[in-house]
C-alpha cells in the first residue's frame, strides 16, 4: 500500500520562516507542496519520511528568500495491481461502486467487476449479489475487501462543466469478483 | 522537481503507523500544539482500524522467520502482515498460483501460524486503548531510520 519515493526539489523558503530552525522551515515547505497531493505515477503523498541532503541556500538577485536544493523521501500511497485492500462503501450507482479509505476516496469498482450475478436494486439504490438463492445487499458504510486492478492518473481537464464531479487526479480501479472479496461480513 | 528514484522501498502498514505515531498522531489535536497535519490524521484513523494497530516489529520479525512464510514472495508476506488472513480463502487471494506451491494442509497451517504469531486485531470499540498499549510497547529510537526498515524493505523486488 505504501512505498517510499526519493525526490529532489528546489525550495524557496519564505523569509518569514527563517526564524525557525532550517530543518523545520524546509519541512514546512515540503508539507505545503507535497502532503495530501498526488504526484503522477508516484501516488498520493502521505507523509515526509526523511530529508537526506540540503544544499544551497543562495539568495537570487531581486528576491528576499533563500533557495535550497533538498533531497528527501516521501511515503506515497501507491497500491500495486493484485493487492488486496479493505475500504468503506461510499456510493452505489448504476455504473458500480465507489469506495473510500478516509484519506483516499477515488476507488472505483465498475459494475462488470462485481461478484456475478449482481444487479442494481432501483428501490434501495443498492447493488445486490445473488448468491445461491440468497440476496446479499451491499449496504453503504460497510467494509469491503477488493483487489486492485490498476491505478490510473487521468490528465488534468482543460474545461469542466459547472456540475461535473471534482477532478480526481488518481483513481484506483478494483474488482470484487472472487472468493473472499466483497463485503468483509460475507466471508 | 526531479524524481530521483520512484521506488526506494516498500513499507508495511505497521511502519507507516509507527511513523505517524512518532509525528504525534496518537495525540490528535489535544492541546494547543499539534505536530501532525489533518491528512496524516486521516491515514492514522484508517490504519488504527487495521491489524497493524496491535502489531509490533518483533511479531513481524517472527513472521518472516516462519518456515511457511519464508516460502512466500515479498509482496505476499507484506500483505499477510497487513491483512492478517484468518481463513484459507483470504490466503488464496493473496498468494499467486497457490495450487502449485502449497497443499491445502499447508495453507491451513499457515493461517494458524499467522494467527499465533501476529496479535489479534483490537475489536473496534477498544481501538483507542489498543493504540495506547501498543504505542507504549514499542521501543523506537526516533533518530535511527535504518533500523526501522524491516528486512524486506532493503531490497524491493516489485
Amino acid at each position: 500500500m505504501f512505498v517510499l519515493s526519493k525526490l529532489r526539489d528546489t525550495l524557496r523558503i519564505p523569509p518569514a520562516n527563517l526564524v525557525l530552525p532550517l530543518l523545520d522551515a524546509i519541512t514546512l515547505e515540503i508539507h505545503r507542496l507535497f502532503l495530501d497531493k498526488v504526484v503522477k505515477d508516484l501516488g498520493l503523498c502521505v507523509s515526509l519520511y526523511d530529508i537526506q541532503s540540503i544544499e544551497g541556500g543562495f539568495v537570487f538577485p531581486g528576491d528576499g528568500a533563500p533557495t535550497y536544493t533538498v533531497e528527501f523521501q516521501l511515503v506515497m500511497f501507491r497500491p500495486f495491481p493484485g493487492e488486496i485492500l479493505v475500504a468503506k462503501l461510499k456510493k452505489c450507482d448504476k455504473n458500480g461502486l465507489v469506495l473510500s479509505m478516509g484519506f483516499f476516496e477515488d476507488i472505483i469498482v465498475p459494475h462488470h467487476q462485481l461478484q456475478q450475478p449482481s444487479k442494481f436494486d432501483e428501490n434501495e439504490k443498492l447493488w445486490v449479489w445473488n448468491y445461491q438463492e440468497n440476496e446479499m445487499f451491499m449496504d453503504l458504510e460497510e467494509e469491503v475487501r477488493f483487489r486492485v486492478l490498476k491505478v490510473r492518473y487521468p490528465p488534468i481537464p482543460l474545461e469542466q462543466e459547472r456540475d461535473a464531479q471534482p477532478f480526481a487526479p488518481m483513481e484506483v480501479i478494483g474488482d470484487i469478483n472472487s472468493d473472499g472479496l466483497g463485503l468483509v461480513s460475507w466471508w | 522537481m526531479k524524481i530521483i528514484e520512484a521506488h526506494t522501498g516498500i513499507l508495511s502498514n505497521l511502519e507507516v503507523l509507527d511513523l505517524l505515531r512518532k509525528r504525534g498522531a496518537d495525540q490528535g489535536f489535544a492541546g494547543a500544539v499539534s505536530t501532525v497535519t489533518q491528512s496524516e490524521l486521516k491515514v492514522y484513523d484508517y490504519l488504527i482500524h487495521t491489524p497493524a494497530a496491535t502489531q509490533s516489529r518483533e511479531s513481524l520479525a517472527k513472521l518472516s522467520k516462519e518456515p511457511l512464510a519464508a516460502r512466500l514472495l515479498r509482496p505476499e508476506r507484506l500483505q499477510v502482515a497487513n491483512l492478517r488472513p484468518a481463513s484459507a480463502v483470504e490466503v488464496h487471494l493473496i498468494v499467486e498460483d497457490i495450487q502449485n506451491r502449497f497443499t491445502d494442509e499447508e495453507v491451513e497451517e499457515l493461517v494458524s501460524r499467522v494467527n499465533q504469531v501476529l496479535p489479534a486485531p483490537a475489536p473496534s470499540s477498544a481501538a483507542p486503548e489498543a493504540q495506547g498499549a501498543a504505542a507504549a510497547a514499542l521501543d523506537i529510537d526516533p533518530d535511527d531510520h535504518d533500523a526501522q526498515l524491516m528486512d524486506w524493505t532493503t531490497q524491493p523486488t516489485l
Side-chain angles (χ1 to χ4, degrees):
Chain A
M1 228 198 312
F2 298 105
V3 293
L4 284 178
S5 293
K6 191 159 155 188
L7 279 82
R8 179 195 302 137
D9 201 2
T10 44
L11 301 172
R12 180 185 177 276
I13 309 295
N17 287 352
L18 291 178
V19 69
L20 301 169
L22 180 61
L23 264 184
D24 289 352
I26 291 188
T27 304
L28 269 182
E29 191 66 13
I30 293 177
H31 281 179
R32 186 182 71 86
L33 281 175
F34 290 100
L35 223 60
D36 209 24
K37 309 253 188 342
V38 170
V39 181
K40 189 171 190 310
D41 297 331
L42 287 187
L44 172 73
C45 176
V46 161
S47 183
L48 172 66
Y49 187 69
D50 64 8
I51 296 175
Q52 300 207 322
S53 79
I54 304 172
E55 286 163 24
F58 302 111
V59 179
F60 294 106
D63 193 0
T67 304
Y68 293 91
T69 305
V70 185
E71 284 189 10
F72 51 95
Q73 292 194 93
L74 294 173
V75 179
M76 310 296 285
F77 169 68
R78 181 166 87 229
F80 55 87
E83 190 170 359
I84 310 292
L85 296 174
V86 175
K88 270 203 170 131
L89 181 54
K90 271 284 167 244
K91 223 167 52 143
C92 266
D93 63 21
K94 285 197 315 308
N95 299 327
L97 308 174
V98 175
L99 306 173
S100 155
M101 291 169 93
F103 60 96
F104 185 76
E105 308 223 317
D106 298 309
I107 301 169
I108 299 171
V109 180
H111 59 91
H112 51 88
Q113 297 288 7
L114 297 170
Q115 293 271 16
Q116 300 303 332
S118 287
K119 62 181 198 313
F120 188 57
D121 183 330
E122 286 293 342
N123 301 334
E124 307 253 349
K125 296 268 182 287
L126 295 174
W127 279 92
V128 188
W129 178 35
N130 280 329
Y131 177 62
Q132 292 175 358
E133 311 303 322
N134 290 343
E135 291 218 323
M136 322 278 276
F137 272 84
M138 309 190 72
D139 299 317
L140 295 184
E141 302 299 320
E142 284 286 339
E143 303 258 329
V144 173
R145 192 180 293 128
F146 67 99
R147 175 171 41 215
V148 175
L149 284 182
K150 65 178 175 188
V151 180
R152 280 176 44 206
Y153 300 91
I156 304 175
L158 290 173
E159 280 183 0
Q160 268 189 311
E161 285 165 7
R162 186 184 303 267
D163 300 327
Q165 289 273 27
F167 165 67
M170 177 175 166
E171 284 175 353
V172 172
I173 315 290
D175 83 286
I176 50 173
N177 198 357
S178 274
D179 291 338
L181 297 179
L183 259 58
V184 171
S185 49
W186 288 348
W187 299 94
Chain B
M1 178 192 83
K2 184 167 177 285
I3 300 171
I4 301 179
E5 219 181 304
H7 191 118
T8 36
I10 202 163
L11 295 173
S12 62
N13 285 4
L14 171 69
E15 285 161 336
V16 178
L17 194 56
D18 277 354
L19 182 69
L20 293 172
R21 280 186 186 128
K22 198 179 76 178
R23 287 184 47 84
D26 38 7
Q27 268 91 50
F29 284 110
V33 177
S34 81
T35 48
V36 72
T37 58
Q38 274 282 16
S39 58
E40 285 168 329
L41 262 189
K42 284 192 189 156
V43 181
Y44 180 77
D45 273 335
Y46 175 80
L47 288 176
I48 209 74
H49 291 101
T50 61
T54 47
Q55 286 170 1
S56 67
R57 290 176 189 276
E58 290 78 27
S59 57
L60 290 200
K62 269 202 284 189
L63 180 69
S64 43
K65 292 201 182 79
E66 285 284 319
L68 278 178
R71 281 164 54 187
L72 295 173
L73 300 173
R74 275 209 164 95
E76 293 165 353
R77 252 203 321 272
L78 175 76
Q79 287 193 78
V80 166
N82 284 348
L83 295 169
R84 195 176 178 271
S87 64
V89 163
E90 297 175 47
V91 178
H92 277 253
L93 282 175
I94 295 174
V95 181
E96 268 179 67
D97 202 19
I98 196 170
Q99 305 289 8
N100 293 337
R101 288 164 59 191
F102 292 90
T103 64
D104 286 340
E105 293 83 27
E106 285 174 327
V107 173
E108 291 294 341
E109 168 76 15
L110 180 64
V111 171
S112 80
R113 290 303 303 155
V114 164
N115 281 315
Q116 283 169 28
V117 170
L118 295 180
S124 37
S125 56
E129 292 104 63
Q131 113 211 0
L138 294 167
D139 186 20
I140 318 163
D141 178 2
D143 298 316
D144 195 357
H145 287 293
D146 290 326
Q148 291 178 8
L149 283 179
M150 289 293 302
D151 166 65
W152 57 41
T153 63
T154 54
Q155 294 157 48
T157 56
L158 288 180

